[in-house]
Amino acid sequence: MNDPKAGFAGAETLGGGASRRRALLAACGAHAVHDGLTDLVYVLLPVWQAQFAIGYATVGLLRGAYSGAMAGFQLLASRLAGRWGRKRMLVGGTALAGAAYLLAGQAGGLAVLLLALTLGGLGASVQHPLASSLVADSHQAGDASRQALAQYNFAGDIGKTLIPALTGLLLTVAGWRLGVSLMGLLGLAAAACLWRLVPDGPPAVTGKPAAARATGRGTRGGLRALLATGAIDSAARMGFLTFLPFLLRSKGAGAAGIGLALSLLFVGGAFGKLFCGYLGARIGMVRTVWLTEGATALLIAASLALPLVGAMAMLPLLGLALNGTSSVLYGTVAELAEPAGRDHAFALFYTGTIGGGALSPVLFGRLGDAAGVPTAMLALAVFLLLTLPLSSRVGRDLGQ
């Protein structure tokens, strides 16, 4: 039977080599599939816009439905895992995400598509809080835990790279309905694999309790500033990703080119998470955020001016800066939060960041309808600069 309490803050560090490997493999697999299915929406938005004759605000609503449901139910998912078990929630959520894509593949109208994306977001809501806590609980605190979480974050970007690219290629030889349905079957297959991989209960406890090894040192102000930094960073990232396919299409890219562009962006993002985690350890969280967010704002502005070939060539570097910040912010949550409230702090952080990402496409989509995509993207770049003073406030709690 599942241990209802496994995976929550204050749990002791878990050992056992085979169980650790299984837990990390399950978490990485779940992250790859869920992040791939989540970001697949970006490839499909231009297709759905043409299919259903909708404006940019409605496009933002479709993207926001998925992200909003995912953000809004993460705290509830953590609570339900305490009652039903983490394994059942992870498997059930992954199966629901797959079934939602099967439904989207059959959508004959906007209402069914909106319902499918909302259900997909509900299924995806379980992954971040439960899979990350699975990794944290199965590895010792300190370097082992940080390295395992870095692998977990990297796996998510691998999914973002492969699944949108594969679907983009499918769109060149088959209809979008078939491609979306196949991705739904992938989600169901992943759920079956998770049922076999996720440990039923915690492995043997080794070492000292986590609470004895680490103490939070943040204030409420520092945690709030960190949450605001993460929300703005996510909002700018999701807004940029929403508009990028339309920007590329205006420069002459087709469906396959858009899929390739997103893959280039996500490859850069995957390495950015690893690189910026190392960079943050070397120069500190504040300097890293100033470097990555400043570079992101400049590169977003450059993408508007460059021709298609130049913009495509720049995307890996933009992805490195765009996604690299999140790796530094995730690690800071554990440094600021008290051990007993760490699970809750992570859930709040994920909810705030994904919530910011859900609102951004809708709000900036309206600006795109009124003033055009380039103006909306430039506004995103300026908005991103708000993270600079906020990160400095966090740095005071970290002694930076």
Side-chain angles (χ1 to χ4, degrees):
M1 296 294 291
N2 288 354
D3 182 356
K5 300 301 181 185
F8 285 84
E12 292 181 322
T13 302
L14 304 176
S19 293
R20 284 199 301 269
R21 287 190 293 271
R22 282 180 59 195
L24 182 58
L25 179 60
C28 288
H31 201 187
V33 171
H34 277 279
D35 275 20
L37 292 179
T38 297
D39 283 10
L40 173 59
V41 175
Y42 295 118
V43 176
L44 297 170
L45 287 176
V47 177
W48 288 333
Q49 185 192 41
Q51 177 75 31
F52 300 109
I54 56 179
Y56 290 119
T58 306
V59 165
L61 178 62
L62 290 176
R63 182 64 185 94
Y66 198 105
S67 296
M70 182 166 60
F73 284 88
Q74 282 187 117
L75 288 170
L76 179 60
S78 296
R79 294 190 184 101
L80 291 177
R83 178 179 300 176
W84 296 339
R86 183 168 54 199
K87 178 175 181 175
R88 290 174 182 168
M89 290 296 296
L90 269 173
V91 172
T94 305
L96 179 58
Y101 266 95
L102 286 177
L103 177 61
Q106 309 304 314
L110 191 60
V112 175
L113 183 60
L114 187 61
L115 173 63
L117 292 176
T118 302
L119 291 176
L122 286 175
S125 68
V126 306
Q127 188 274 132
H128 279 114
L130 301 187
S132 58
S133 64
L134 175 63
V135 174
D137 286 354
S138 58
H139 290 74
Q140 292 184 354
D143 289 341
S145 179
R146 283 193 291 269
Q147 291 170 6
L149 285 169
Q151 295 174 46
Y152 163 76
N153 284 332
F154 182 80
D157 278 18
I158 294 300
K160 292 177 181 179
T161 301
L162 294 180
I163 291 179
L166 176 60
T167 306
L169 291 175
L170 283 173
L171 292 177
T172 66
V173 298
W176 69 268
R177 296 183 186 277
L178 176 60
V180 169
S181 298
L182 289 175
M183 293 305 104
L185 292 176
L186 174 65
L188 294 177
C193 292
L194 287 176
W195 182 256
R196 295 183 61 86
L197 284 174
V198 177
D200 288 323
V205 176
T206 61
K208 298 178 182 179
R213 284 191 299 267
T215 57
R217 50 178 170 168
T219 64
R220 288 188 177 182
L223 286 169
R224 288 170 181 165
L226 180 65
L227 176 59
T229 303
I232 293 172
D233 175 70
S234 178
R237 182 168 59 252
M238 297 306 177
F240 174 76
L241 287 170
T242 300
F243 288 119
L244 179 61
F246 301 102
L247 177 68
L248 294 174
R249 190 173 67 179
S250 72
K251 295 177 183 288
I258 292 172
L260 174 61
L262 289 172
S263 294
L264 291 173
L265 188 76
F266 293 142
V267 165
F271 286 100
K273 287 186 176 181
L274 293 176
F275 172 73
C276 290
Y278 169 80
L279 186 64
R282 295 283 294 179
I283 68 174
M285 174 264 189
V286 176
R287 291 178 180 175
T288 303
V289 170
W290 276 66
L291 179 62
T292 56
E293 300 290 46
T296 300
L298 290 174
L299 290 170
I300 289 175
S303 70
L304 300 174
L306 290 171
L308 178 61
V309 174
M312 295 278 281
M314 182 201 66
L315 286 176
L317 181 59
L318 177 54
L320 187 150
L322 188 71
N323 279 8
T325 307
S326 64
S327 185
V328 181
L329 298 180
Y330 293 159
T332 307
V333 175
E335 291 189 61
L336 293 181
E338 294 291 340
R342 196 163 288 157
D343 181 74
H344 183 66
F346 269 111
L348 284 175
F349 183 79
Y350 281 125
T351 299
T353 55
I354 297 176
L359 288 174
S360 173
V362 179
L363 297 177
F364 285 95
R366 291 189 178 276
L367 180 59
D369 281 333
V373 169
T375 300
M377 293 182 72
L378 191 59
L380 278 169
V382 174
F383 178 63
L384 186 61
L385 297 179
L386 293 175
T387 59
L388 304 185
L390 287 168
S391 64
S392 297
R393 170 62 186 87
V394 179
R396 289 204 294 272
D397 276 13
L398 297 174
Q400 297 180 8

Coordinates of all heavy atoms in Angstrom, one line a residue, residues 37-55 58-59 61-63 66 100-101 103-110 112-114 116-117 167 171 175-177 179-181 246 249:
L37 N 4.1 17.3 -23.0 CA 2.7 17.5 -23.4 C 2.3 18.9 -23.1 O 1.4 19.5 -23.8 CB 1.9 16.5 -22.6 CG 2.0 15.0 -22.9 CD1 1.1 14.2 -22.1 CD2 1.7 14.8 -24.4
T38 N 2.8 19.5 -22.0 CA 2.4 20.9 -21.7 C 2.9 21.9 -22.8 O 2.1 22.7 -23.3 CB 3.0 21.3 -20.4 OG1 2.4 20.5 -19.3 CG2 2.7 22.8 -20.0
D39 N 4.1 21.7 -23.2 CA 4.6 22.7 -24.2 C 4.3 22.3 -25.6 O 4.5 23.1 -26.5 CB 6.2 22.8 -24.0 CG 6.5 23.6 -22.8 OD1 5.6 24.0 -22.1 OD2 7.7 24.0 -22.7
L40 N 3.7 21.1 -25.8 CA 3.2 20.8 -27.1 C 2.1 21.7 -27.6 O 1.9 22.0 -28.8 CB 2.7 19.3 -27.1 CG 1.9 18.8 -28.3 CD1 2.8 18.9 -29.6 CD2 1.4 17.4 -28.1
V41 N 1.4 22.3 -26.6 CA 0.3 23.3 -26.9 C 0.9 24.4 -27.8 O 0.1 24.9 -28.7 CB -0.3 23.8 -25.6 CG1 -1.3 24.9 -25.9 CG2 -0.9 22.7 -24.8
Y42 N 2.1 24.8 -27.6 CA 2.6 25.9 -28.4 C 2.7 25.6 -29.8 O 2.5 26.5 -30.7 CB 4.0 26.3 -27.8 CG 4.0 26.9 -26.4 CD1 4.7 26.2 -25.4 CD2 3.3 28.0 -26.1 CE1 4.7 26.7 -24.1 CE2 3.3 28.5 -24.8 CZ 4.0 27.8 -23.8 OH 4.0 28.3 -22.5
V43 N 3.1 24.4 -30.2 CA 3.1 24.0 -31.6 C 1.7 24.0 -32.2 O 1.5 24.3 -33.4 CB 3.8 22.6 -31.7 CG1 3.8 22.1 -33.2 CG2 5.2 22.6 -31.2
L44 N 0.7 23.6 -31.4 CA -0.6 23.4 -31.9 C -1.4 24.7 -32.0 O -2.5 24.8 -32.7 CB -1.4 22.4 -31.0 CG -0.8 21.0 -31.0 CD1 -1.4 20.1 -30.0 CD2 -0.9 20.3 -32.4
L45 N -1.0 25.7 -31.2 CA -1.8 27.0 -31.2 C -2.0 27.6 -32.6 O -3.2 28.0 -32.9 CB -1.2 28.0 -30.2 CG -1.3 27.7 -28.7 CD1 -0.5 28.7 -27.9 CD2 -2.8 27.6 -28.3
P46 N -1.0 27.7 -33.4 CA -1.3 28.3 -34.8 C -2.2 27.4 -35.6 O -3.0 27.9 -36.4 CB 0.1 28.3 -35.4 CG 1.1 28.4 -34.3 CD 0.4 27.5 -33.2
V47 N -2.1 26.1 -35.4 CA -3.0 25.1 -36.1 C -4.4 25.3 -35.7 O -5.4 25.4 -36.5 CB -2.6 23.7 -35.9 CG1 -3.5 22.7 -36.6 CG2 -1.1 23.5 -36.4
W48 N -4.6 25.4 -34.4 CA -6.0 25.6 -33.8 C -6.5 27.0 -34.2 O -7.7 27.2 -34.4 CB -6.0 25.4 -32.3 CG -5.8 24.0 -31.9 CD1 -6.2 22.9 -32.7 CD2 -5.2 23.5 -30.7 NE1 -5.8 21.7 -32.0 CE2 -5.3 22.1 -30.8 CE3 -4.7 24.1 -29.6 CZ2 -4.8 21.3 -29.7 CZ3 -4.2 23.3 -28.6 CH2 -4.3 21.9 -28.6
Q49 N -5.7 28.0 -34.3 CA -6.1 29.3 -34.7 C -6.7 29.3 -36.1 O -7.8 29.9 -36.3 CB -5.0 30.4 -34.6 CG -5.5 31.8 -34.9 CD -4.3 32.7 -35.1 OE1 -3.3 32.4 -35.7 NE2 -4.4 33.9 -34.5
A50 N -6.0 28.6 -37.0 CA -6.5 28.5 -38.3 C -7.7 27.6 -38.4 O -8.7 27.9 -39.2 CB -5.4 28.0 -39.2
Q51 N -7.7 26.5 -37.6 CA -8.8 25.6 -37.7 C -10.2 26.2 -37.2 O -11.2 26.0 -37.8 CB -8.5 24.3 -36.8 CG -9.6 23.3 -36.7 CD -9.7 22.5 -38.0 OE1 -8.8 22.2 -38.7 NE2 -10.9 22.0 -38.3
F52 N -10.1 26.9 -36.1 CA -11.3 27.5 -35.5 C -11.5 29.0 -35.6 O -12.4 29.5 -35.1 CB -11.3 27.1 -34.0 CG -11.2 25.6 -33.7 CD1 -10.0 25.0 -33.2 CD2 -12.3 24.8 -34.0 CE1 -10.0 23.7 -33.0 CE2 -12.2 23.4 -33.7 CZ -11.1 22.9 -33.2
A53 N -10.6 29.6 -36.4 CA -10.7 31.1 -36.7 C -10.9 31.9 -35.4 O -11.9 32.6 -35.2 CB -11.9 31.3 -37.6
I54 N -9.8 31.9 -34.6 CA -9.9 32.6 -33.3 C -8.8 33.7 -33.3 O -7.8 33.6 -34.0 CB -9.7 31.6 -32.1 CG1 -8.4 30.8 -32.3 CG2 -10.9 30.6 -32.0 CD1 -8.1 29.8 -31.2
G55 N -9.0 34.6 -32.4 CA -8.0 35.7 -32.2 C -7.0 35.4 -31.2 O -7.0 34.3 -30.5
T58 N -8.2 34.6 -27.6 CA -8.7 33.3 -27.4 C -7.6 32.3 -27.5 O -7.6 31.2 -26.7 CB -9.7 33.0 -28.5 OG1 -10.7 34.0 -28.5 CG2 -10.4 31.6 -28.3
V59 N -6.6 32.5 -28.3 CA -5.4 31.7 -28.3 C -4.8 31.7 -26.8 O -4.4 30.6 -26.3 CB -4.3 32.1 -29.3 CG1 -3.0 31.5 -29.0 CG2 -4.8 31.8 -30.7
L61 N -6.3 32.3 -24.1 CA -7.3 31.6 -23.2 C -7.1 30.1 -23.3 O -7.1 29.4 -22.3 CB -8.7 31.9 -23.6 CG -9.8 31.2 -22.8 CD1 -9.7 31.6 -21.4 CD2 -11.2 31.6 -23.4
L62 N -6.8 29.5 -24.5 CA -6.6 28.1 -24.6 C -5.3 27.7 -23.9 O -5.3 26.7 -23.1 CB -6.4 27.7 -26.1 CG -7.7 27.8 -27.0 CD1 -7.3 27.5 -28.4 CD2 -8.7 26.8 -26.5
R63 N -4.2 28.5 -24.1 CA -3.0 28.2 -23.3 C -3.2 28.4 -21.8 O -2.7 27.6 -21.0 CB -1.9 29.1 -23.8 CG -0.5 28.8 -23.1 CD -0.1 27.5 -23.5 NE 1.2 27.1 -22.8 CZ 1.2 26.4 -21.6 NH1 0.0 26.1 -21.1 NH2 2.3 26.1 -21.0
Y66 N -5.0 25.4 -19.8 CA -4.1 24.3 -19.4 C -3.2 24.7 -18.2 O -3.2 24.1 -17.2 CB -3.2 23.9 -20.6 CG -2.6 22.6 -20.5 CD1 -3.0 21.5 -21.2 CD2 -1.5 22.3 -19.6 CE1 -2.4 20.2 -21.1 CE2 -0.9 21.1 -19.5 CZ -1.3 20.1 -20.3 OH -0.8 18.8 -20.2
A100 N -6.8 13.5 -21.9 CA -7.2 14.8 -22.4 C -6.7 15.1 -23.8 O -7.5 15.7 -24.6 CB -6.6 15.9 -21.4
Y101 N -5.5 14.6 -24.1 CA -5.1 14.8 -25.5 C -5.8 13.9 -26.5 O -6.1 14.3 -27.7 CB -3.6 14.5 -25.6 CG -2.7 15.8 -25.5 CD1 -2.2 16.2 -24.2 CD2 -2.5 16.6 -26.5 CE1 -1.5 17.3 -24.1 CE2 -1.8 17.8 -26.4 CZ -1.3 18.1 -25.2 OH -0.6 19.3 -25.1
L103 N -9.0 13.3 -26.2 CA -10.2 14.1 -26.4 C -10.0 15.3 -27.3 O -10.8 15.6 -28.1 CB -10.7 14.6 -25.0 CG -12.0 15.5 -25.0 CD1 -13.2 14.7 -25.6 CD2 -12.3 15.9 -23.6
A104 N -8.8 16.0 -27.1 CA -8.5 17.1 -27.9 C -8.4 16.7 -29.4 O -8.8 17.5 -30.3 CB -7.2 17.8 -27.5
G105 N -7.9 15.5 -29.6 CA -7.8 15.0 -31.0 C -9.1 14.8 -31.7 O -9.2 14.8 -32.9
Q106 N -10.2 14.7 -30.9 CA -11.5 14.5 -31.5 C -12.3 15.8 -31.4 O -13.5 15.7 -31.8 CB -12.2 13.4 -30.7 CG -11.5 12.1 -30.5 CD -11.0 11.5 -31.8 OE1 -11.8 11.4 -32.8 NE2 -9.7 11.1 -31.9
A107 N -11.8 16.9 -31.0 CA -12.5 18.1 -30.8 C -13.1 18.6 -32.1 O -12.3 18.8 -33.0 CB -11.7 19.2 -30.1
G108 N -14.4 18.9 -32.1 CA -15.0 19.5 -33.3 C -15.3 20.9 -33.2 O -15.7 21.6 -34.1
G109 N -15.1 21.5 -32.0 CA -15.4 22.9 -31.7 C -14.5 23.4 -30.6 O -13.8 22.6 -29.9
L110 N -14.6 24.7 -30.4 CA -13.7 25.3 -29.4 C -14.1 24.9 -28.0 O -13.2 24.8 -27.1 CB -13.9 26.9 -29.5 CG -12.9 27.7 -28.8 CD1 -11.5 27.5 -29.2 CD2 -13.2 29.2 -29.0
V112 N -15.1 22.0 -26.8 CA -14.5 20.7 -26.5 C -13.0 20.8 -26.3 O -12.4 20.2 -25.4 CB -14.9 19.6 -27.5 CG1 -14.2 18.3 -27.3 CG2 -16.4 19.4 -27.6
L113 N -12.4 21.6 -27.2 CA -11.0 21.8 -27.1 C -10.6 22.5 -25.8 O -9.6 22.1 -25.1 CB -10.5 22.6 -28.3 CG -9.0 22.9 -28.4 CD1 -8.2 21.6 -28.5 CD2 -8.7 23.8 -29.5
L114 N -11.4 23.5 -25.4 CA -11.1 24.1 -24.1 C -11.3 23.2 -22.9 O -10.5 23.2 -22.0 CB -12.1 25.3 -23.9 CG -11.9 26.3 -22.7 CD1 -10.5 26.9 -22.8 CD2 -13.0 27.3 -22.7
A116 N -10.9 19.9 -23.0 CA -9.8 19.0 -23.1 C -8.5 19.6 -22.5 O -7.8 18.9 -21.7 CB -9.5 18.5 -24.5
L117 N -8.2 20.8 -22.8 CA -7.0 21.4 -22.3 C -7.1 21.7 -20.8 O -6.1 21.6 -20.0 CB -6.8 22.8 -23.0 CG -6.4 22.6 -24.5 CD1 -6.2 24.0 -25.1 CD2 -5.1 21.9 -24.6
T167 N 6.0 16.0 -32.8 CA 4.6 16.4 -33.3 C 4.7 17.3 -34.5 O 3.9 17.2 -35.4 CB 3.8 17.0 -32.1 OG1 3.8 16.1 -31.0 CG2 2.4 17.3 -32.6
L171 N 3.0 16.7 -38.1 CA 2.0 17.6 -38.8 C 2.4 17.8 -40.3 O 1.5 18.2 -41.0 CB 2.1 18.9 -38.1 CG 1.5 19.0 -36.6 CD1 1.6 20.4 -36.1 CD2 0.0 18.6 -36.6
G175 N -2.6 14.7 -40.4 CA -3.4 15.7 -39.8 C -3.1 15.9 -38.3 O -2.5 15.1 -37.7
W176 N -3.5 17.1 -37.8 CA -3.2 17.4 -36.5 C -3.9 16.5 -35.5 O -3.4 16.2 -34.4 CB -3.5 18.9 -36.2 CG -4.9 19.3 -36.2 CD1 -5.6 19.8 -37.2 CD2 -5.9 19.2 -35.1 NE1 -6.9 20.0 -36.9 CE2 -7.1 19.7 -35.5 CE3 -5.8 18.9 -33.7 CZ2 -8.2 19.8 -34.7 CZ3 -6.9 18.9 -32.9 CH2 -8.1 19.4 -33.4
R177 N -5.1 16.0 -35.9 CA -5.9 15.2 -35.0 C -5.1 13.9 -34.7 O -5.1 13.4 -33.6 CB -7.2 14.9 -35.6 CG -8.1 16.1 -35.7 CD -9.5 15.8 -36.3 NE -10.3 17.0 -36.5 CZ -11.0 17.6 -35.6 NH1 -10.9 17.2 -34.4 NH2 -11.6 18.7 -35.9
G179 N -1.8 13.4 -34.9 CA -0.7 13.7 -34.1 C -1.0 13.9 -32.6 O -0.4 13.4 -31.7
V180 N -2.1 14.6 -32.3 CA -2.5 14.9 -31.0 C -3.0 13.6 -30.3 O -2.7 13.3 -29.1 CB -3.7 15.9 -31.0 CG1 -4.3 16.0 -29.6 CG2 -3.1 17.3 -31.4
S181 N -3.7 12.8 -31.0 CA -4.1 11.5 -30.5 C -3.0 10.6 -30.1 O -3.0 9.9 -29.1 CB -5.1 10.8 -31.4 OG -6.2 11.6 -31.7
F246 N 3.9 32.6 -33.7 CA 3.3 33.6 -34.6 C 4.4 34.5 -35.1 O 4.3 34.9 -36.3 CB 2.2 34.3 -33.8 CG 1.1 33.4 -33.3 CD1 1.1 33.1 -32.0 CD2 0.2 32.9 -34.2 CE1 0.1 32.3 -31.5 CE2 -0.8 32.1 -33.7 CZ -0.9 31.8 -32.3
R249 N 6.1 32.5 -37.8 CA 5.3 32.4 -39.0 C 5.3 33.7 -39.8 O 5.3 33.6 -41.0 CB 3.8 32.0 -38.6 CG 3.0 31.6 -39.7 CD 1.6 31.1 -39.3 NE 0.8 32.2 -38.6 CZ -0.4 32.0 -38.2 NH1 -1.0 30.8 -38.2 NH2 -1.1 33.0 -37.6

